[in-house]
Amino acid sequence: MTVLKILFWTGFFIIAYSYIGYGILLFVLVNLKRLVKKEKFDDISDIFEPEITLIVAAFNEEDFIEKKIDNTLQLDYPASKLKLLFVTDGSTDNTAAIVSRFTNIQLMHQPERRGKVAAVNRAMKLVATPYLIFSDANTLLNKDCVREIVKHYQHAKVGGVAGEKKVITTETDQAAGVGEGLYWKYESFLKKMDSEFYSVVGAAGELFSIRTELFETTREDIIIEDFVQSLEICMKGYIIKYEANAFAMESSSLSMKDEEKRKVRICAGAFQAMVILKGLFNIFKYPALSFQFISHRILRWTLCPLCLVMLFIVNAVLAFEQQGMFYQLFFLLQLFFYMLALIGWIFAHRNIMIKILYVPYYFLFMNISVFMGFSRFIKKNQTTLWEKASRKKL
């Protein structure tokens, strides 16, 4: 039973640390850092207007692309210094035709669809500005986002800037929307802490900026290219700053089926990214970055889902073998938690709205997605071509 108890507490610690403990530890470390010295990145001027290119890769977005264009044209930045480049490769609807109506936007289009990575690689051949911003076609940006991003480049060590992703939810949203919204609120907190401690650990493609000179032509088979690219920049000695005042807004997934497409694809890409970024496991070479990478990302993608299974089985044995009241009570709590998740799953698929069930349901859903993503990674059947998930209209 001693071995089982060691397994129980090991699994419990890994799960608790990954989802809660790391955030608490970061918060403490960041506040200690603030006491020791002033953040040197606070010393930046608001009067900094370098030329910058905004790249938007769009595929069959005719229902939304005009909103995206209108939003882009309203950005508060000198028009002469903001180059707009839209790539609509492979689109079979009217996306390219709609973009072509706007003479202040440079359009790149070819009938062949080779995926977002190939489209961005092609677009980069036309970029002549020192900085660039990537933004997804299905998001809306806040008016000041460009100014808030470029100000960080006044420091030579900043290789990129990650904006905030905001998921717009309403009272009528299903579990997909509420769960995704809660998840990104917590992720935003962790990114803020990561950035203050050292660097953001992987940027999201909704709103991400880099120094043009640091861009390297990306392999077209990479699934989550924004994540890989941002960390490769960090491995060169630069950091990725987080800017909460630059944000991309998008609606939530229309259903859990659509959210599943997105999550499983990301999880498959996560295992691929771990192989590509294997150098980051060298904590002696990248002490701060490796600590963040493993704590924030790797544990969630590898050990946590396994520990959840192990914890349930080991806890069941300890409870039935009457190894103590604590183990019996904890097993009952686990059963209750998974029961709530199951009820949440049933209700969500029947459009019954009970928000208290979304947390256990979405937590379980995320961990199951890791197993499904790993299966796709092993079988090599996760395409880099994005299978578009339906989202609610903004």
Side-chain angles (χ1 to χ4, degrees):
M1 289 300 165
T2 301
V3 173
L4 290 180
K5 289 179 180 179
I6 292 173
L7 289 174
F8 174 90
W9 286 107
T10 300
F12 178 83
F13 173 79
I14 290 173
I15 295 167
Y17 172 74
S18 178
Y19 285 100
I20 302 173
Y22 176 61
I24 295 173
L25 178 59
L26 261 187
F27 181 78
V28 172
L29 292 175
V30 166
N31 279 279
L32 287 175
K33 183 180 177 182
R34 289 171 181 169
L35 290 175
V36 173
K37 61 178 180 179
K38 179 185 176 183
E39 175 63 80
K40 62 182 179 180
F41 293 102
D42 289 341
D43 184 24
I44 52 181
S45 170
D46 292 328
I47 307 173
F48 183 64
E49 297 179 340
E51 289 191 336
I52 189 165
T53 299
L54 174 66
I55 297 179
V56 177
F59 172 72
N60 285 353
E61 291 283 357
E62 65 178 1
D63 293 337
F64 192 80
I65 197 66
E66 199 156 357
K67 283 185 181 179
K68 176 66 176 180
I69 292 171
D70 289 341
N71 172 253
T72 302
L73 295 177
Q74 292 175 29
L75 294 175
D76 180 23
Y77 205 75
S80 62
K81 294 184 177 182
L82 179 60
K83 315 300 180 184
L84 306 178
L85 181 55
F86 281 55
V87 192
T88 59
D89 290 356
S91 293
T92 56
D93 61 2
N94 293 318
T95 302
I98 294 171
V99 177
S100 67
R101 299 203 309 258
F102 296 84
T103 56
N104 46 355
I105 295 178
Q106 188 169 8
L107 170 66
M108 295 184 72
H109 177 78
Q110 65 177 20
E112 181 185 5
R113 184 190 181 196
R114 292 167 53 197
K116 180 182 177 181
V117 177
V120 170
N121 284 340
R122 203 164 74 86
M124 285 302 299
K125 296 175 183 178
L126 298 181
V127 176
T129 59
Y131 311 104
L132 60 103
I133 296 174
F134 301 107
S135 176
D136 282 351
N138 64 342
T139 62
L140 298 178
L141 307 179
N142 65 303
K143 188 175 181 180
D144 298 322
C145 74
V146 178
R147 292 188 181 278
E148 295 294 339
I149 285 173
V150 300
K151 68 183 183 183
H152 292 283
Y153 290 120
Q154 295 174 69
H155 292 279
K157 193 175 181 180
V158 175
V161 183
E164 181 172 350
K165 173 181 175 178
K166 291 189 176 184
V167 178
I168 301 172
T169 59
T170 66
E171 290 297 320
T172 60
D173 271 333
Q174 298 179 22
V178 177
E180 189 182 359
L182 289 172
Y183 171 78
W184 276 106
K185 284 178 182 177
Y186 183 56
E187 273 298 299
S188 294
F189 164 76
L190 288 182
K191 284 186 177 183
K192 182 178 184 297
M193 293 294 102
D194 275 333
S195 180
E196 285 199 55
F197 178 72
Y198 179 67
S199 173
V200 171
V201 189
E206 286 82 5
L207 182 57
F208 171 45
S209 172
I210 66 171
R211 293 181 184 270
T212 305
E213 65 184 288
L214 298 179
F215 179 86
E216 293 184 1
T217 300
T218 311
R219 283 169 34 189
E220 293 184 13
D221 65 332
I222 294 182
I223 300 169
I224 48 175
E225 76 291 338
D226 41 18
F227 179 83
V228 171
Q229 187 177 77
S230 59
L231 282 173
E232 285 180 334
I233 288 174
C234 291
M235 292 172 75
K236 294 176 182 176
Y238 294 88
I239 61 171
I240 305 295
K241 292 296 291 181
Y242 172 72
E243 181 49 68
N245 292 319
F247 52 87
M249 299 168 285
E250 69 177 2
S251 58
S252 60
S253 297
L254 190 61
S255 67
M256 285 307 296
K257 193 65 180 176
D258 290 296
E259 180 68 355
E260 180 185 305
K261 291 180 188 177
R262 195 181 68 84
K263 273 291 182 194
V264 174
R265 180 181 185 275
I266 291 172
C267 290
F271 287 100
Q272 181 194 53
M274 279 187 270
V275 175
I276 297 170
L277 301 168
K278 55 183 179 294
L280 276 180
F281 289 96
N282 186 347
I283 199 162
F284 298 103
K285 187 175 182 180
Y286 308 103
L289 189 61
S290 293
F291 159 68
Q292 293 178 286
F293 181 59
I294 294 169
S295 297
H296 190 164
R297 303 294 186 180
I298 300 305
L299 291 180
R300 290 194 199 178
W301 290 340
T302 55
L303 295 183
C304 279
L306 294 173
C307 284
L308 284 171
V309 177
M310 181 190 74
L311 191 66
F312 186 82
I313 296 172
V314 170
N315 192 187
V317 175
L318 290 172
F320 285 113
E321 291 294 328
Q322 298 184 351
Q323 293 300 304
M325 182 66 71
F326 171 81
Y327 295 108
Q328 293 173 331
L329 178 60
F330 195 85
F331 184 64
L332 289 176
L333 289 174
Q334 283 203 74
L335 287 176
F336 181 66
F337 181 86
Y338 290 123
M339 180 185 71
L340 291 179
L342 177 60
I343 296 172
W345 176 80
I346 294 171
F347 282 3
H349 285 75
R350 295 183 180 181
N351 294 328
I352 299 175
M353 315 303 294
I354 302 180
K355 290 188 178 182
I356 196 172
L357 302 176
Y358 291 164
V359 172
Y361 171 41
Y362 200 79
F363 176 82
L364 186 61
F365 161 76
M366 287 193 303
N367 282 278
I368 291 174
S369 295
V370 172
F371 286 109
M372 296 170 69
F374 181 70
S375 175
R376 287 194 189 180
F377 170 71
I378 293 297
K379 295 176 182 176
K380 300 184 185 300
N381 61 1
Q382 175 60 60
T383 176
T384 56
L385 297 181
W386 175 251
E387 184 182 353
K388 189 176 177 181
S390 299
R391 288 188 173 270
K392 288 198 169 187
K393 290 186 178 181
L394 287 174

